[in-house]
Amino acid sequence: MNKQSISKLSLFLTGLEQRITENADFFKKITIRFKSGTKFYEAVVTLKENRLFLQYNGRNDRMEISWLGARIAKIAEQYEAMNLIYEERGTAIHIDADDRGVKMKTRDQDAADAGKGHNETSQITNRDYYIKVGHADAVLKAIGILGENGKIKNDMIRKYNQIDHYIELVDDMLRNLCARYGKINVVDCGCGKSYLSFVLNYYIKEVLKKNCHFIGLDISKTVIDASKKIAEQLDYKNMDFRVTDIRNYTAGEDIHLAISLHACDTATDEAIALAVNNNAKAIVMVPCCQKEILSQYSFDILQSITRHGVLKARLADVLTDGIRLMLLEAMGYKVSIVEYVSPLETPKNLMIRAEKTGGVNKAVIEEYKQLKKLLGISPTLEKLIMPYL
């Protein structure tokens, strides 16, 4: 190739060096085909422990990321043309170079995958899904929702709908966080097998095209090992999993989003406290089986109603989540609560959403203290965030 094309190629390759540095967790490989006459010669670049490895001409050379442009440009001088494909999660960059010039185009992997014989929307309903079959096949298969035939398994249809609706309910929050912070850190409290985190990871990186990092926390080594195995299978290098009691966890970096799905009773309070005590920018919790307040509260004026056990239990559920919202407001969060799924599927169907907007709200604290005294309760959440009240 002539000097003009090599010079332009070097500029593009310098840009790839910067991209690899910034997106190391998402980088897959670079594949290059050099052309000489009717023959083609291949080279492959991979990344391991922040070093690039170039497989070319029977050798496997290690090099710094900053050497990539000069090394590939030097090889390209020997050939008439070259085609380079840079791959990272969700994106592929194509560079074609010859004596006539150098062209570069970016191709979303979602768009590429859409042509593989799958519908862009679910095969279940006419709803336009956020996590689309075809685009998200790899993650849906890894978490057991999609079969090898490319269709949602019959016994997983409800779970697929629940996960997709979760994404719908947090989409605006995710977009706002990504716009404000660029790369976002997500902590999954009591992550279990981390199915939700894997789907969120896919959506943030491969649909929203934003960088992210996930930390999954659980006290069970068994589920943490299962999560690590799925992450390795998917090549999701931007995920860490730790065996720990969430009550003992202190974040080493900013938490932009803290999530928890169906943590039972006071485990939800522990997850909220982790988020509040680490100054999380946003919180999404789906609670389960609220028992603590049921055994504590009494309200004489409603005794004729609460003497019926089932009604007392339902009121306890409302009080539990209502108090959580009050305490989040007291800590400077803007809060909302919505139905996550239909109550026909499960009565534990509420989602708490909170976004940090200010400092401690003393008026709400006083209101909470009056309510606490009126009901005769001592909630765990208050104890866990007490130093801040």
Side-chain angles (χ1 to χ4, degrees), residues 252-302:
E253 56 186 349
D254 287 346
I255 297 177
H256 299 109
L257 176 62
I259 64 173
S260 180
L261 180 63
H262 290 154
C264 285
D265 199 23
T266 57
T268 292
D269 298 307
E270 293 167 6
I272 293 173
L274 182 153
V276 170
N277 294 341
N278 286 279
N279 196 34
K281 311 307 179 190
I283 301 169
V284 178
M285 303 282 162
V286 179
C288 187
C289 54
Q290 303 93 330
K291 299 176 182 177
E292 182 183 48
I293 300 301
L294 175 60
S295 63
Q296 294 181 1
Y297 90 97
S298 62
F299 195 24
D300 290 344
I301 198 171
L302 293 179

Side-chain angles (χ1 to χ4, degrees), residues 20-37:
I20 295 171
T21 300
E22 293 176 353
N23 290 358
D25 284 344
F26 310 105
F27 176 77
K28 291 184 176 180
K29 64 179 179 178
I30 295 172
T31 305
I32 311 168
R33 295 185 78 203
F34 299 102
K35 181 182 179 183
S36 178

Side-chain angles (χ1 to χ4, degrees), residues 106-124:
T106 300
R107 185 180 183 188
D108 290 346
Q109 289 298 94
D110 278 352
D113 291 342
K116 293 181 179 179
H118 298 290
N119 294 325
E120 290 195 18
T121 54
S122 167
Q123 301 157 347
I124 303 168

Side-chain angles (χ1 to χ4, degrees), residues 66-303:
S66 59
W67 301 355
L68 175 69
R71 186 66 184 277
I72 299 303
K74 187 68 175 177
I75 296 173
E77 290 177 357
Q78 308 169 38
Y79 295 94
E80 299 170 9
M82 64 162 277
N83 166 259
L84 179 150
I85 303 175
Y86 168 99
E87 295 179 71
E88 66 178 40
R89 273 184 52 199
T91 302
I93 297 173
H94 294 249
I95 297 177
D96 292 299
D98 56 25
D99 284 340
R100 292 173 295 179
V102 182
K103 297 179 181 180
M104 182 173 73
K105 61 182 179 180
T106 300
R107 185 180 183 188
D108 290 346
Q109 289 298 94
D110 278 352
D113 291 342
K116 293 181 179 179
H118 298 290
N119 294 325
E120 290 195 18
T121 54
S122 167
Q123 301 157 347
I124 303 168
T125 72
N126 291 324
R127 178 172 179 263
D128 188 11
Y129 279 69
Y130 285 74
I131 307 301
K132 301 179 188 295
V133 173
H135 295 167
D137 281 7
V139 68
L140 291 175
K141 284 181 181 178
I143 64 176
I145 288 178
L146 193 72
E148 292 300 324
N149 60 358
K151 296 182 179 181
I152 302 297
K153 297 177 182 178
N154 289 336
D155 59 345
M156 287 293 176
I157 291 175
R158 186 172 69 173
K159 187 167 188 175
Y160 174 50
N161 284 325
Q162 289 178 357
I163 288 175
D164 194 78
H165 189 47
Y166 185 104
I167 300 298
E168 180 180 7
L169 291 173
V170 302
D171 182 48
D172 286 345
M173 177 184 286
L174 292 175
R175 291 176 185 272
N176 290 337
L177 289 170
C178 290
R180 190 178 308 166
Y181 300 105
K183 176 184 176 181
I184 64 171
N185 300 316
V186 182
V187 175
D188 189 346
C189 307
C191 62
K193 292 185 179 178
S194 308
Y195 294 162
L196 186 59
S197 280
F198 287 119
V199 172
L200 277 169
N201 191 340
Y202 160 80
Y203 187 72
I204 294 169
K205 178 57 185 171
E206 300 184 40
V207 178
L208 299 184
K209 305 298 181 186
K210 300 296 182 180
N211 285 356
C212 53
H213 184 264
F214 281 75
I215 296 177
L217 310 174
D218 203 287
I219 200 168
S220 168
K221 183 178 184 300
T222 300
V223 297
I224 289 295
D225 287 345
S227 295
K228 289 180 178 179
K229 186 175 181 180
I230 295 172
E232 184 177 352
Q233 175 186 338
L234 289 168
D235 198 24
Y236 280 15
K237 293 176 284 188
N238 64 325
M239 304 187 84
D240 293 323
F241 300 97
R242 303 175 188 178
V243 179
T244 183
D245 188 324
I246 63 175
R247 291 174 294 184
N248 301 327
Y249 180 76
T250 300
E253 56 186 349
D254 287 346
I255 297 177
H256 299 109
L257 176 62
I259 64 173
S260 180
L261 180 63
H262 290 154
C264 285
D265 199 23
T266 57
T268 292
D269 298 307
E270 293 167 6
I272 293 173
L274 182 153
V276 170
N277 294 341
N278 286 279
N279 196 34
K281 311 307 179 190
I283 301 169
V284 178
M285 303 282 162
V286 179
C288 187
C289 54
Q290 303 93 330
K291 299 176 182 177
E292 182 183 48
I293 300 301
L294 175 60
S295 63
Q296 294 181 1
Y297 90 97
S298 62
F299 195 24
D300 290 344
I301 198 171
L302 293 179
Q303 188 173 4

Side-chain angles (χ1 to χ4, degrees), residues 300-315:
D300 290 344
I301 198 171
L302 293 179
Q303 188 173 4
S304 60
I305 295 174
T306 57
R307 64 187 174 89
H308 301 284
V310 67
L311 296 180
K312 184 177 183 180
R314 289 188 181 183
L315 181 54

